[in-house]
Amino acid sequence: MTPARRALASFGALACAAAVGLSAYASHGLQGEDARRAGLAALFAFGHGLALLLLAPGARTRVKVVGLMMLALGLLLFSGSLLGAALFAAPTTLAPAGGLLLMLGWLIIAVDALRR
């Protein structure tokens, strides 16, 4: 497996692990809007982390690897922005860019699947 694919799979596993802890903290350590934002960040981190973990080892084309990289970056921006708002009262200005990257990443992966 290439270093990029290994890194993406590893990032996915780390995102899943962080999501478990984050969801526990959202449920037991936060309240109101902060709990909702942290819970949503955890949900996206777990789902996209699992996708990266499962899809990266089999990514045989550059197109698919680019799509997976977009998922990873989108996950960092989207979940990170929500988490920053929940924990540090930071603005969520990066969440829309992260969401757009997540959508584009999935579309690129879909196109790659159709090309085969």
Side-chain angles (χ1 to χ4, degrees), residues 2-20:
T2 67
R5 293 183 348 208
R6 270 197 305 274
L8 287 164
S10 178
F11 176 75
L14 292 172
C16 288
V20 173

PDB file of all heavy atoms in Angstrom, residues 2-20:
ATOM      1  N   THR A   2       0.532   2.248  -0.756  1.00  0.00           N
ATOM      2  CA  THR A   2       1.335   3.467  -0.853  1.00  0.00           C
ATOM      3  C   THR A   2       1.281   4.246   0.460  1.00  0.00           C
ATOM      4  O   THR A   2       0.342   4.088   1.247  1.00  0.00           O
ATOM      5  CB  THR A   2       0.818   4.367  -1.987  1.00  0.00           C
ATOM      6  OG1 THR A   2      -0.482   4.842  -1.642  1.00  0.00           O
ATOM      7  CG2 THR A   2       0.778   3.641  -3.318  1.00  0.00           C
ATOM      8  N   PRO A   3       2.261   5.107   0.678  1.00  0.00           N
ATOM      9  CA  PRO A   3       2.247   5.913   1.902  1.00  0.00           C
ATOM     10  C   PRO A   3       0.989   6.786   2.023  1.00  0.00           C
ATOM     11  O   PRO A   3       0.463   6.953   3.124  1.00  0.00           O
ATOM     12  CB  PRO A   3       3.506   6.770   1.782  1.00  0.00           C
ATOM     13  CG  PRO A   3       4.429   5.969   0.914  1.00  0.00           C
ATOM     14  CD  PRO A   3       3.532   5.250  -0.057  1.00  0.00           C
ATOM     15  N   ALA A   4       0.513   7.336   0.913  1.00  0.00           N
ATOM     16  CA  ALA A   4      -0.693   8.179   0.967  1.00  0.00           C
ATOM     17  C   ALA A   4      -1.902   7.362   1.398  1.00  0.00           C
ATOM     18  O   ALA A   4      -2.702   7.818   2.236  1.00  0.00           O
ATOM     19  CB  ALA A   4      -0.950   8.827  -0.397  1.00  0.00           C
ATOM     20  N   ARG A   5      -2.042   6.171   0.853  1.00  0.00           N
ATOM     21  CA  ARG A   5      -3.183   5.331   1.223  1.00  0.00           C
ATOM     22  C   ARG A   5      -3.070   4.874   2.670  1.00  0.00           C
ATOM     23  O   ARG A   5      -4.070   4.817   3.392  1.00  0.00           O
ATOM     24  CB  ARG A   5      -3.300   4.144   0.277  1.00  0.00           C
ATOM     25  CG  ARG A   5      -3.675   4.595  -1.127  1.00  0.00           C
ATOM     26  CD  ARG A   5      -3.885   3.499  -2.124  1.00  0.00           C
ATOM     27  NE  ARG A   5      -3.453   2.180  -1.724  1.00  0.00           N
ATOM     28  CZ  ARG A   5      -3.066   1.240  -2.560  1.00  0.00           C
ATOM     29  NH1 ARG A   5      -3.045   1.483  -3.849  1.00  0.00           N
ATOM     30  NH2 ARG A   5      -2.693   0.062  -2.144  1.00  0.00           N
ATOM     31  N   ARG A   6      -1.859   4.551   3.118  1.00  0.00           N
ATOM     32  CA  ARG A   6      -1.652   4.177   4.533  1.00  0.00           C
ATOM     33  C   ARG A   6      -2.014   5.339   5.447  1.00  0.00           C
ATOM     34  O   ARG A   6      -2.658   5.164   6.477  1.00  0.00           O
ATOM     35  CB  ARG A   6      -0.205   3.755   4.776  1.00  0.00           C
ATOM     36  CG  ARG A   6       0.026   2.283   4.578  1.00  0.00           C
ATOM     37  CD  ARG A   6       1.336   1.831   5.208  1.00  0.00           C
ATOM     38  NE  ARG A   6       2.513   2.575   4.759  1.00  0.00           N
ATOM     39  CZ  ARG A   6       3.204   2.276   3.673  1.00  0.00           C
ATOM     40  NH1 ARG A   6       2.874   1.253   2.930  1.00  0.00           N
ATOM     41  NH2 ARG A   6       4.256   2.989   3.338  1.00  0.00           N
ATOM     42  N   ALA A   7      -1.581   6.538   5.073  1.00  0.00           N
ATOM     43  CA  ALA A   7      -1.862   7.723   5.891  1.00  0.00           C
ATOM     44  C   ALA A   7      -3.364   8.002   5.955  1.00  0.00           C
ATOM     45  O   ALA A   7      -3.889   8.338   7.024  1.00  0.00           O
ATOM     46  CB  ALA A   7      -1.118   8.934   5.332  1.00  0.00           C
ATOM     47  N   LEU A   8      -4.054   7.860   4.823  1.00  0.00           N
ATOM     48  CA  LEU A   8      -5.502   8.089   4.814  1.00  0.00           C
ATOM     49  C   LEU A   8      -6.232   7.065   5.673  1.00  0.00           C
ATOM     50  O   LEU A   8      -7.145   7.415   6.432  1.00  0.00           O
ATOM     51  CB  LEU A   8      -6.033   8.061   3.378  1.00  0.00           C
ATOM     52  CG  LEU A   8      -5.682   9.277   2.529  1.00  0.00           C
ATOM     53  CD1 LEU A   8      -5.910   8.986   1.049  1.00  0.00           C
ATOM     54  CD2 LEU A   8      -6.489  10.485   2.984  1.00  0.00           C
ATOM     55  N   ALA A   9      -5.844   5.805   5.581  1.00  0.00           N
ATOM     56  CA  ALA A   9      -6.474   4.766   6.398  1.00  0.00           C
ATOM     57  C   ALA A   9      -6.194   5.007   7.877  1.00  0.00           C
ATOM     58  O   ALA A   9      -7.092   4.885   8.724  1.00  0.00           O
ATOM     59  CB  ALA A   9      -5.983   3.381   5.970  1.00  0.00           C
ATOM     60  N   SER A  10      -4.966   5.364   8.205  1.00  0.00           N
ATOM     61  CA  SER A  10      -4.605   5.645   9.590  1.00  0.00           C
ATOM     62  C   SER A  10      -5.375   6.853  10.125  1.00  0.00           C
ATOM     63  O   SER A  10      -5.885   6.835  11.254  1.00  0.00           O
ATOM     64  CB  SER A  10      -3.102   5.897   9.693  1.00  0.00           C
ATOM     65  OG  SER A  10      -2.734   6.203  11.008  1.00  0.00           O
ATOM     66  N   PHE A  11      -5.478   7.896   9.314  1.00  0.00           N
ATOM     67  CA  PHE A  11      -6.253   9.074   9.706  1.00  0.00           C
ATOM     68  C   PHE A  11      -7.703   8.687   9.968  1.00  0.00           C
ATOM     69  O   PHE A  11      -8.318   9.175  10.918  1.00  0.00           O
ATOM     70  CB  PHE A  11      -6.171  10.157   8.625  1.00  0.00           C
ATOM     71  CG  PHE A  11      -7.026  11.356   8.924  1.00  0.00           C
ATOM     72  CD1 PHE A  11      -6.626  12.280   9.884  1.00  0.00           C
ATOM     73  CD2 PHE A  11      -8.224  11.543   8.264  1.00  0.00           C
ATOM     74  CE1 PHE A  11      -7.425  13.380  10.171  1.00  0.00           C
ATOM     75  CE2 PHE A  11      -9.020  12.640   8.545  1.00  0.00           C
ATOM     76  CZ  PHE A  11      -8.626  13.563   9.497  1.00  0.00           C
ATOM     77  N   GLY A  12      -8.241   7.811   9.125  1.00  0.00           N
ATOM     78  CA  GLY A  12      -9.617   7.361   9.322  1.00  0.00           C
ATOM     79  C   GLY A  12      -9.800   6.652  10.654  1.00  0.00           C
ATOM     80  O   GLY A  12     -10.764   6.900  11.383  1.00  0.00           O
ATOM     81  N   ALA A  13      -8.873   5.776  10.994  1.00  0.00           N
ATOM     82  CA  ALA A  13      -8.956   5.065  12.275  1.00  0.00           C
ATOM     83  C   ALA A  13      -8.834   6.036  13.444  1.00  0.00           C
ATOM     84  O   ALA A  13      -9.568   5.921  14.438  1.00  0.00           O
ATOM     85  CB  ALA A  13      -7.881   3.990  12.349  1.00  0.00           C
ATOM     86  N   LEU A  14      -7.924   7.000  13.332  1.00  0.00           N
ATOM     87  CA  LEU A  14      -7.778   8.004  14.392  1.00  0.00           C
ATOM     88  C   LEU A  14      -9.030   8.861  14.525  1.00  0.00           C
ATOM     89  O   LEU A  14      -9.430   9.211  15.647  1.00  0.00           O
ATOM     90  CB  LEU A  14      -6.555   8.882  14.122  1.00  0.00           C
ATOM     91  CG  LEU A  14      -5.201   8.189  14.244  1.00  0.00           C
ATOM     92  CD1 LEU A  14      -4.082   9.112  13.764  1.00  0.00           C
ATOM     93  CD2 LEU A  14      -4.954   7.737  15.678  1.00  0.00           C
ATOM     94  N   ALA A  15      -9.647   9.196  13.405  1.00  0.00           N
ATOM     95  CA  ALA A  15     -10.887   9.977  13.449  1.00  0.00           C
ATOM     96  C   ALA A  15     -11.993   9.197  14.156  1.00  0.00           C
ATOM     97  O   ALA A  15     -12.756   9.771  14.942  1.00  0.00           O
ATOM     98  CB  ALA A  15     -11.323  10.366  12.032  1.00  0.00           C
ATOM     99  N   CYS A  16     -12.065   7.905  13.905  1.00  0.00           N
ATOM    100  CA  CYS A  16     -13.068   7.071  14.586  1.00  0.00           C
ATOM    101  C   CYS A  16     -12.809   7.026  16.090  1.00  0.00           C
ATOM    102  O   CYS A  16     -13.747   7.139  16.890  1.00  0.00           O
ATOM    103  CB  CYS A  16     -13.075   5.660  14.006  1.00  0.00           C
ATOM    104  SG  CYS A  16     -13.796   5.559  12.361  1.00  0.00           S
ATOM    105  N   ALA A  17     -11.561   6.860  16.482  1.00  0.00           N
ATOM    106  CA  ALA A  17     -11.229   6.833  17.909  1.00  0.00           C
ATOM    107  C   ALA A  17     -11.575   8.163  18.572  1.00  0.00           C
ATOM    108  O   ALA A  17     -12.174   8.189  19.654  1.00  0.00           O
ATOM    109  CB  ALA A  17      -9.746   6.518  18.090  1.00  0.00           C
ATOM    110  N   ALA A  18     -11.218   9.261  17.917  1.00  0.00           N
ATOM    111  CA  ALA A  18     -11.536  10.583  18.466  1.00  0.00           C
ATOM    112  C   ALA A  18     -13.041  10.791  18.553  1.00  0.00           C
ATOM    113  O   ALA A  18     -13.535  11.402  19.507  1.00  0.00           O
ATOM    114  CB  ALA A  18     -10.892  11.662  17.599  1.00  0.00           C
ATOM    115  N   ALA A  19     -13.767  10.269  17.575  1.00  0.00           N
ATOM    116  CA  ALA A  19     -15.222  10.427  17.561  1.00  0.00           C
ATOM    117  C   ALA A  19     -15.876   9.755  18.754  1.00  0.00           C
ATOM    118  O   ALA A  19     -16.851  10.278  19.313  1.00  0.00           O
ATOM    119  CB  ALA A  19     -15.796   9.869  16.257  1.00  0.00           C
ATOM    120  N   VAL A  20     -15.364   8.608  19.163  1.00  0.00           N
ATOM    121  CA  VAL A  20     -15.930   7.916  20.320  1.00  0.00           C
ATOM    122  C   VAL A  20     -15.770   8.776  21.577  1.00  0.00           C
ATOM    123  O   VAL A  20     -16.726   8.998  22.322  1.00  0.00           O
ATOM    124  CB  VAL A  20     -15.281   6.524  20.505  1.00  0.00           C
ATOM    125  CG1 VAL A  20     -15.741   5.882  21.798  1.00  0.00           C
ATOM    126  CG2 VAL A  20     -15.608   5.629  19.314  1.00  0.00           C
TER     127      VAL A  20
END
